[in-house]
Amino acid sequence: MSVLAGLTAALSQGSVEIIDLTTPLSSETPILNLPHPFANTVGLSVSPVSNFDDAGPAWAWNDVTVGEHAGTHLDAPVHWITGKDGKSVDQIEPHRLVGPLVVIDKTAEAAADPDFLLEPEHFEQWQAEHGLFPENCWVIFRTGWAARGSDAAAFVNADDAGPHTPGVSAAGAKWLAGNASISGFGVETVGIDAGQAGSLDPMFPVHSFLLGADKYGVTSLRNVDRLPVTGATLVVAPLPIVGGTGSPSRVYALVEKGTAENGSVEKGTGEEGTVERA
């Protein structure tokens, strides 16, 4: 049996599950809001063209207006000044959008401190426990923040000092950008940087370092709590907007049945050779 035939059979038989990591996109979906005097993007609005009426008796369709960075969306390099000469969404190679998934779980830490930041030692500790990050992987930051997704105020979690959401320190972002195995970084929060990232040096370091290094971000993920730490495959499907700085995206994980509860064992090759990950 070929690899693809085996995958198709596994999906049909249910031994491989497709987990949808996408936030449903509506006019109520929380989006990033920047402080004055900066301009803000729009969320989703839908205008009917026809709905089985005189304008279209046998069909229904709508016009949709939506910001590139609304809901679950991909950040492309050209979104940030450090990557302004890099790839737009339509130029990202499809193979960079499909890859092994590694989950760094700091749910307890984020619950105790909404401004919790990942540091280089957190990534190094993960590798000490599970093996080197596999080639072309996507690092997913599990914080439990998606549980706030139905409450915009709780999701943004802002006060007079601005939003308070977990993220990555400047040193941690630089570490991620410098790891050749990583293609992208995903979060449950509204943006790939921490809520207080404007006070870091550089400002918004995940945007600055990752997008400048031809790596990508994906935000507002759901169902991250259903993912195993290793062994799953991520699929990110943005619209190929020509010149686009980002795009609302459908994001899936392919997960072998039982691994989310029981962990996984996977062989992979990192910079130092073949390693075992459990």
Side-chain angles (χ1 to χ4, degrees):
M1 181 180 292
S2 70
V3 172
L4 288 179
L7 175 60
T8 301
L11 290 168
S12 297
Q13 296 162 6
S15 58
V16 171
E17 180 183 8
I18 299 176
I19 297 178
D20 193 348
L21 305 182
T22 315
T23 296
L25 185 58
S26 76
S27 61
E28 304 301 317
T29 302
I31 61 172
L32 186 66
N33 281 294
L34 300 176
H36 181 79
F38 303 114
N40 280 295
T41 189
V42 298
L44 176 75
S45 62
V46 178
S47 302
V49 176
S50 67
N51 187 26
F52 311 111
D53 50 22
D54 290 344
W59 56 90
W61 55 352
N62 302 305
D63 285 334
V64 172
T65 299
V66 66
E68 294 174 320
H69 299 266
T72 301
H73 67 271
L74 178 80
D75 286 351
V78 295
H79 174 47
W80 210 252
I81 191 168
T82 53
K84 65 183 181 66
D85 296 321
K87 297 185 182 77
S88 54
V89 177
D90 59 301
Q91 295 171 330
I92 298 174
E93 300 92 334
H95 79 269
R96 298 287 303 280
L97 301 174
V98 179
L101 207 162
V102 302
V103 176
I104 296 181
D105 189 349
K106 297 298 178 183
T107 304
E109 290 83 349
D113 177 12
D115 292 318
F116 175 81
L117 298 178
L118 285 173
E119 299 285 356
E121 53 263 35
H122 296 122
F123 304 122
E124 292 163 359
Q125 180 183 11
W126 190 98
Q127 291 190 109
E129 295 175 359
H130 303 286
L132 298 176
F133 288 161
E135 184 179 354
N136 195 42
C137 73
W138 281 74
V139 177
I140 303 300
F141 184 22
R142 179 188 288 157
T143 59
W145 211 259
R148 299 168 175 249
S150 59
D151 183 336
F155 189 69
V156 176
N157 196 37
D159 59 17
D160 291 343
H164 296 274
T165 57
V168 186
S169 72
K174 188 174 183 180
W175 192 99
L176 285 171
N179 188 303
S181 296
I182 296 171
S183 276
F185 178 67
V187 297
E188 297 176 72
T189 50
V190 72
I192 56 174
D193 265 296
Q196 292 289 299
S199 63
L200 300 178
D201 185 17
M203 295 173 61
F204 307 102
V206 181
H207 283 84
S208 182
F209 285 120
L210 263 72
L211 301 185
D214 190 35
K215 300 180 190 295
Y216 320 116
V218 66
T219 77
S220 297
L221 297 175
R222 297 279 182 97
N223 296 319
V224 173
D225 58 313
R226 297 178 59 191
L227 299 176
V229 173
T230 67
T233 296
L234 189 73
V235 180
V236 183
L239 298 170
I241 302 169
V242 176
T245 71
S247 169
S249 303
R250 198 74 181 256
V251 181
Y252 302 102
L254 304 181
V255 180
E256 291 188 54
K257 189 175 182 180
T259 57
E261 295 81 15
N262 303 320
S264 63
V265 176
E266 175 190 12
K267 287 187 176 181
T269 302
E271 296 172 348
E272 300 175 3
T274 301
V275 295
E276 191 98 350
R277 288 185 289 276

